[in-house]
Amino acid sequence: MPELPEVETTRRGISPWLTGQKIQSVRVRQPSLRWPVPAEIADCLRGARVSSVKRRSKYLLIEVGEGTALVHLGMSGSLRLSDPAESYRKHDHWWWTLENGKQLRYHDPRRFGALLWMPSSQAGHPLLQSLGPEPLESEFTGAYLWQQSRARKVAIKNFIMDSRVVVGVGNIYASESLFRAGIHPLRAAGRVSLQRYQGLADAIRQVLGESIESGGSTLRDYVNSSGAPGYFQQQLGVYGRQGQPCPACGEAVRSVRIGQRSSFYCPRCQR
């Protein structure tokens, strides 16, 4: 599914085309997504001007007129900028026509994404209220992770994937960050030292930053706003490489199930 790097790549792709543009028309062809698309959203968006396109965790926050449209890409969703003359695809569920002649189209075969509305008068959306810090912002540090992990027995991989601790560290990026930091994914979060957490925080920032610069990862069907795939998967050290040699030491990469997810690690490099 699209994770933080894929969502940030999408944000960067659509922002120059949306910011400052008036939304001329809105069409919701399929309102039954993960949550029903609010019936009033077309009236809220139509004729309004986009002031900014932001991201919080894996949510895109498109500030428009008197509120904010919250967009989530779900498991298989993508946003594309298209020509209105281009044929609509089967799973294009909603689109906005902009005054610059472009259409922002949401495509989602599995319909697990969302288009929601938050009025300016509302203090915040419930989906955003319990989220931890952004991993690329200054408040995310090794000291913060160490403090949050005290007495925690949960596996460190699950710990850093908990959006209440830090947002956006999905399965791929958790495996890769732990590999770079040399930490075994099953190690209890409370048994990792401050020094190692400092290395892990650095690794998380590096992995996510490199993935954003590469346009994200395409392991299934993610494409960016222009329909191009991401290429970070070509830089993966352990994820999906079970039985292949570790790029650092040559030991065979192993796989283990943690929290119903496949986790990949090097038994020699990660302790």
Side-chain angles (χ1 to χ4, degrees), residues 106-124:
Y106 178 68
H107 183 82
D108 187 359
R110 300 180 70 180
R111 291 179 17 201
F112 284 165
L115 173 61
L116 302 171
W117 179 251
M118 181 172 65
S120 297
S121 58
Q122 188 172 316

Side-chain angles (χ1 to χ4, degrees), residues 53-253:
V53 182
K54 300 178 180 178
R55 179 191 54 76
R56 180 69 171 105
S57 183
K58 293 185 284 186
Y59 293 92
L60 288 169
L61 309 179
I62 305 177
E63 297 182 346
V64 181
E66 298 301 319
T68 301
L70 278 72
V71 178
H72 195 285
L73 301 180
M75 298 290 291
S76 59
S78 62
L79 286 171
R80 289 192 186 186
L81 289 158
S82 304
D83 189 299
E86 183 180 327
S87 297
Y88 295 106
R89 295 180 294 166
K90 178 180 178 180
H91 299 294
D92 286 346
H93 300 314
W94 57 259
W95 53 87
W96 306 347
T97 302
L98 309 172
E99 64 179 343
N100 60 10
K102 292 289 186 180
Q103 278 188 344
L104 180 69
R105 299 183 184 181
Y106 178 68
H107 183 82
D108 187 359
R110 300 180 70 180
R111 291 179 17 201
F112 284 165
L115 173 61
L116 302 171
W117 179 251
M118 181 172 65
S120 297
S121 58
Q122 188 172 316
H125 197 279
L127 292 172
L128 308 178
Q129 290 177 353
S130 63
L131 296 176
E134 292 283 335
L136 301 178
E137 300 294 337
S138 58
E139 64 264 31
F140 177 70
T141 64
Y144 163 80
L145 284 177
W146 180 81
Q147 185 178 41
Q148 293 293 312
S149 68
R150 295 307 82 196
R152 296 288 299 273
K153 296 181 180 180
V154 63
I156 191 168
K157 181 167 179 284
N158 286 348
F159 174 70
I160 62 174
M161 289 181 63
D162 185 343
S163 63
R164 295 167 297 183
V165 175
V166 58
V167 301
V169 186
N171 194 36
I172 299 171
Y173 304 109
S175 288
E176 291 298 307
S177 298
L178 290 168
F179 170 64
R180 293 195 187 189
I183 300 174
H184 196 287
L186 282 170
R187 178 172 289 276
R191 297 187 60 190
V192 176
S193 68
L194 172 59
Q195 182 178 4
R196 299 190 82 190
Y197 268 121
Q198 290 169 334
L200 178 57
D202 289 341
I204 289 172
R205 282 192 291 268
Q206 290 169 3
V207 167
L208 292 176
E210 290 172 14
S211 183
I212 290 169
E213 293 306 314
S214 299
S217 301
T218 304
L219 297 183
R220 290 189 180 175
D221 53 3
Y222 164 73
V223 292
N224 63 23
S225 59
S226 61
Y231 293 99
F232 183 69
Q233 71 275 12
Q234 297 176 8
Q235 304 175 42
L236 297 177
V238 291
Y239 187 89
R241 291 173 49 89
Q242 181 179 2
Q244 299 180 45
C246 167
C249 72
E251 185 79 10
V253 172

